[in-house]
Amino acid sequence: AKRGWELQVGMSLKCMSGEDKGLEVVYNVTSVGGKRAVQKLALDIAAQVEKDQTKPVAVVRLKKEHYTHKSYGRIYTPIFDIAAWVGLDGQGPAPAAEEAAPVETPARRRRGA
């Protein structure tokens, strides 16, 4: 990182379909938008565990949204769209195969000081 060590959050992911089926990766992020997306997913998982402990694993579709930054232009942020919940063994309903279309959101505006 440019400023030295930075806090990062991360998680393990496993592809469940397509040409990368079975591929396991580690997702690490230091950006504010990325950390917020991972935190939201963690809160969703905690709520699911309270509701049904037999299916604590989120099956997600990776999507994105963006906003326009005054200095840097278009900034993309991740979205982890929960498609289903499965058990630790990976067993559960298979999510419907669907192409992830880009999620367009209006540009965020900063309020003046």
Side-chain angles (χ1 to χ4, degrees):
K2 291 180 185 176
R3 297 174 292 195
W5 292 96
E6 290 186 38
L7 176 66
Q8 68 178 350
V9 296
M11 62 185 159
S12 297
L13 300 168
K14 183 174 183 177
C15 186
M16 297 180 66
S17 62
E19 66 183 53
D20 293 330
K21 184 175 182 173
L23 180 67
E24 294 183 25
V25 297
V26 175
Y27 176 82
N28 290 320
V29 65
T30 58
S31 70
V32 172
K35 289 189 281 190
R36 283 182 184 156
V38 172
Q39 181 182 26
K40 180 188 178 310
L41 180 59
L43 292 171
D44 291 341
I45 290 170
Q48 171 65 18
V49 168
E50 284 192 21
K51 194 166 58 171
D52 182 3
Q53 292 182 2
T54 65
K55 296 180 181 175
V57 179
V59 176
V60 298
R61 287 190 182 91
L62 304 178
K63 296 184 177 183
K64 67 182 186 290
E65 64 182 358
H66 73 272
Y67 65 94
T68 302
H69 188 277
K70 204 185 304 185
S71 300
Y72 302 114
R74 187 174 281 194
I75 304 294
Y76 289 93
T77 57
I79 297 174
F80 302 107
D81 182 28
I82 299 172
W85 294 98
V86 298
L88 290 173
D89 58 1
Q91 298 300 311
E98 148 188 326
E99 285 298 316
V103 177
E104 297 294 325
T105 58
R108 298 178 190 166
R109 294 189 179 160
R110 296 181 76 169
R111 294 183 183 179

